[in-house]
Amino acid sequence: MSGLGWQRRGLRGCLGAIAACGIALLAAAGVPDRAEANILGSCALYDFGAKDGVGSIDESGFIQRNAPVPVIREGAVLRDGPSERAAALGRLDFAQRVGIHRRVGTYVEIKSDPRDAATIGWVDGDDLLCRAQPLVSTTTGLEQKFYIKTRASFQDDEVVPVKASPSVDIVDCDTANRRCRELSRFALHYVHAVDFQKGRLLLLSEFQADVTAPIIGWVSAQDGYLWETRLGLRPRTDLVLTDEDAVAVAGAQPGEERPICVYETPEAAFRQEACTFPLLGGERWFGYPIRMPVIDRVDGEKSLFSVVLPVPGVGDQASADIIDQIEGLENALGALQQLRKIDVFFLIDGTQSMQPHIDAIVGRGGTGVLGAIRDAFTEDRRFAGTQVRFGFRVYRDIYAGDNGIGEGMPLGQVCDLSPDELDEEYIRFDRAVRAITTEVPAVTKDPDHEENLFFGLYQAVDDMSTCDEHVKMLFVIGDTGYDAESQIAQGGIGISQEDVADFLTLNFDETVDPVIPFFIQVPEAGESLSYKAAYAKFTPQAEAITQRVLDHMGRGTRAATETTLEDHVVSLRGRSLSEAKGDLVQQILDTVSRFGDQAPINEIIAELKGGEALVNVITQLQRADEFNNVPGLRLSQIERRLCDELGPACRERVYNVIAQGFIVDDEDVVTDVWMEHDEFSQWRKMLEGFRNTSNTEPDKLAGLIVRQMTRVLQGQIGDLTVEDVNRSVAEYLNRRHGLPVGEFSPLLKYTLSDLMTTREGALSGGQGGDGLIGVCELNLLGNWLERHREIFDSVFVGEIPVFELDRQSACANVRHETPMVRFKGYQSFSKPGLDFKYVIGDRTIYWVPSEYLP
């Protein structure tokens, strides 16, 4: 083994040498050395003072941490003291969240919620997960990522899912008290804890262990592949069959797309036997955030990549191309992410009887709707990552002009708002709603009590039309209904209930979600017979319109989602004014909160990544006590949005054959490097300093290179020592293999000392000498970095950089050879939606081809 063979000294190495790694880990964790504390990532071993630590702990063991932590052992014992001999008070559920208050030894005193003053007992710290992010490889400095393994051979017929258990002690899931989560799909998981004695890993499907992140469960280290590198592999984009190739492949034509070959064993790859699994390249790889993870490198007759990959199958129908299935899952997960964005729109009756209720919405004399929703979504971690936009429209009657359509604030064109932009929107909304007036002009007279509600619905849908991927919630707040004959008599337009339903559903378009209506009727404001007749029309009209929308949403869905009119049409009839104002705010808050709760969304993501069929997940959610508050319409909405993307996986469990394969390292394959958004930005910022280097004085250019390289290396590794100055960048890679530097970069050959000790004579002479760097060589380094700035800029904007390397030596007496980079410009991808940048959960990453790296 060579190249990537270092990764075996990371977590895999510790699992094979428990004694050595265990002692080191206990010492590093800063907690008492106790045999019972075996789980790295648990609260027993957690180092609050670490660089990535969350919270703090004082000398007496009291903990300051606002975020709750999950229980990672089913039936964890709650005791009345910090000892296994203390009396048992009860048991905790796997994945239950609790607050942590104090640590004594390896026991942790807990609360039901971090904000509570009172504690409820003590728990073994190994039963709680304090690690907020994945464990980090001791060799690469990268998070521990994991792909499950469903079989060891390409030839086996039966695929047996891996079962993730709710306790580190449960190996046989058939005897577990709770259902183990089955994993049978090629999907990325993160390692958040490890029990070295048992050789078991705790997996999460999310990078951040926040309050809604599903805890996948415990698996054996032998159940999959640990991915500790940042390298992913794909075939080159321009592979086609030549005339000679076409002759060798029955029925093939020259110019057809040519795959690379994945072999089952290194020996088969060395001998290039019959291809076990062909893998297509092309631009399709830029459409989703996945590559074939490189887990090792094998040297022999040829250099090989060892990768993890799936051979797909859904039910009885197997697909020949893994791309479609993986892309379908990624598109479905992307559609789920869009459900985190909610548009809340109010259609408000602006007549005099509505003034107290407008005051309630605004918050005059109490908490208003806007403030209540903002407070809930800010303080409740279930809504983390949820974006809520607000808008409104006022309707009255013909007497007010413009068919009764009054003031309003339509939703804006910008679909993704920053926190500051959202704040500005909230301020605009608050000011605009407070300016609503219910005064009737003295020169006009309203001939009846019905208002132009239906025309208001038309206008509201138009006001909400931007960003159609967002969840659209329309709250209609009024007291009286609509009368078409009265509107016509006043010179207006008569509209039917069917017309309104048609408009709300965009002509019953199956490809776009309808606006979801919620009608709230405020208490009566009059006693006359004509008013009561108008008041009585509101609820039946609302129910008829809503039922048409619900029928449309449920059409074609398979999950037995239950949605009733009571969830969408509410009357506050008979309530006192004070009760009605409070109920109005609470009704809207509860409804928006149920749609904004991310816990069921994250559970669906975890189950889909495990391979479960979407319809089965939705059915399970409806039966689970912890998710019994999920609106049925929300689940129908999810099924509608995702089924087209998932294809057969909507209704049938996915059984991927996930195995290790071997690919010859040659010009047909490309290695891409995984880079976090912040990391990519840091390198762009470093390269930004290199402009017009050919006009920069040599000593200043040398200083700039040293300064920028030092800044990046310190950010990646930490403070540099005196010894570091004389290490080459390649040696830095031996310390932190995750540093994103091109494999053949000339920078690998230099030390900081090389550039810091260039003498004036060597620079002025231009050719170098005595092992020093001359002006010509320094200028080549400047060109290398300046051109890579342009390459990184093109990656940032999603365009393909076009460049070539001239490797002919341009300088005499060089210390190291550096090619001249000739940058030719940018090239767009062949179709929209392709990019180097991807969103995974709430993280943005880049897959940067290694040849683009400096």
Side-chain angles (χ1 to χ4, degrees), residues 194-226:
V194 57
D195 187 320
F196 290 103
Q197 289 189 348
K198 296 181 174 65
R200 289 175 67 76
L201 314 175
L202 179 72
L203 302 184
L204 274 72
S205 64
E206 302 291 325
F207 179 83
Q208 196 77 27
D210 59 30
V211 72
T212 59
I215 314 299
I216 299 297
W218 291 91
V219 300
S220 168
Q222 305 305 313
D223 284 337
Y225 306 95
L226 196 67

Side-chain angles (χ1 to χ4, degrees), residues 378-394:
T378 300
E379 297 172 3
D380 194 327
R381 296 180 182 88
R382 292 176 303 158
F383 309 128
T386 303
Q387 170 189 287
V388 185
R389 302 192 305 169
F390 292 94
F392 78 93
R393 177 64 64 182
V394 172

Side-chain angles (χ1 to χ4, degrees), residues 233-243 245-246 252-262 275 277-286 663-671:
L233 184 144
R234 59 179 170 85
R236 218 175 64 217
T237 57
D238 56 352
L239 296 180
V240 295
L241 292 173
T242 63
D243 292 343
D245 294 329
Q253 297 295 324
E256 287 182 7
E257 195 171 3
R258 173 169 64 87
I260 64 169
C261 187
V262 183
C275 187
F277 184 72
L279 188 65
L280 290 171
E283 284 190 346
R284 58 170 59 84
W285 286 91
F286 295 95
I663 298 174
V664 177
D665 179 11
D666 58 23
E667 66 276 5
D668 284 351
V669 298
V670 176
T671 53

Side-chain angles (χ1 to χ4, degrees), residues 77-91 107 120-123:
V77 180
L78 182 67
R79 300 185 182 277
D80 67 358
S83 167
E84 62 184 356
R85 294 182 295 277
L89 300 175
R91 292 185 178 273
Y107 272 77
I120 60 173
W122 296 81
V123 180

Side-chain angles (χ1 to χ4, degrees), residues 543-559:
E543 289 178 340
I545 293 169
T546 303
Q547 190 62 60
R548 292 287 303 279
V549 176
L550 297 183
D551 291 343
H552 171 64
M553 283 290 281
R555 188 175 296 117
T557 57
R558 294 282 295 273

Side-chain angles (χ1 to χ4, degrees), residues 46-56 65 130-132:
Y46 189 67
D47 181 6
F48 288 92
K51 181 180 179 181
D52 56 359
V54 177
S56 63
R65 179 160 173 164
C130 271
R131 183 85 193 177

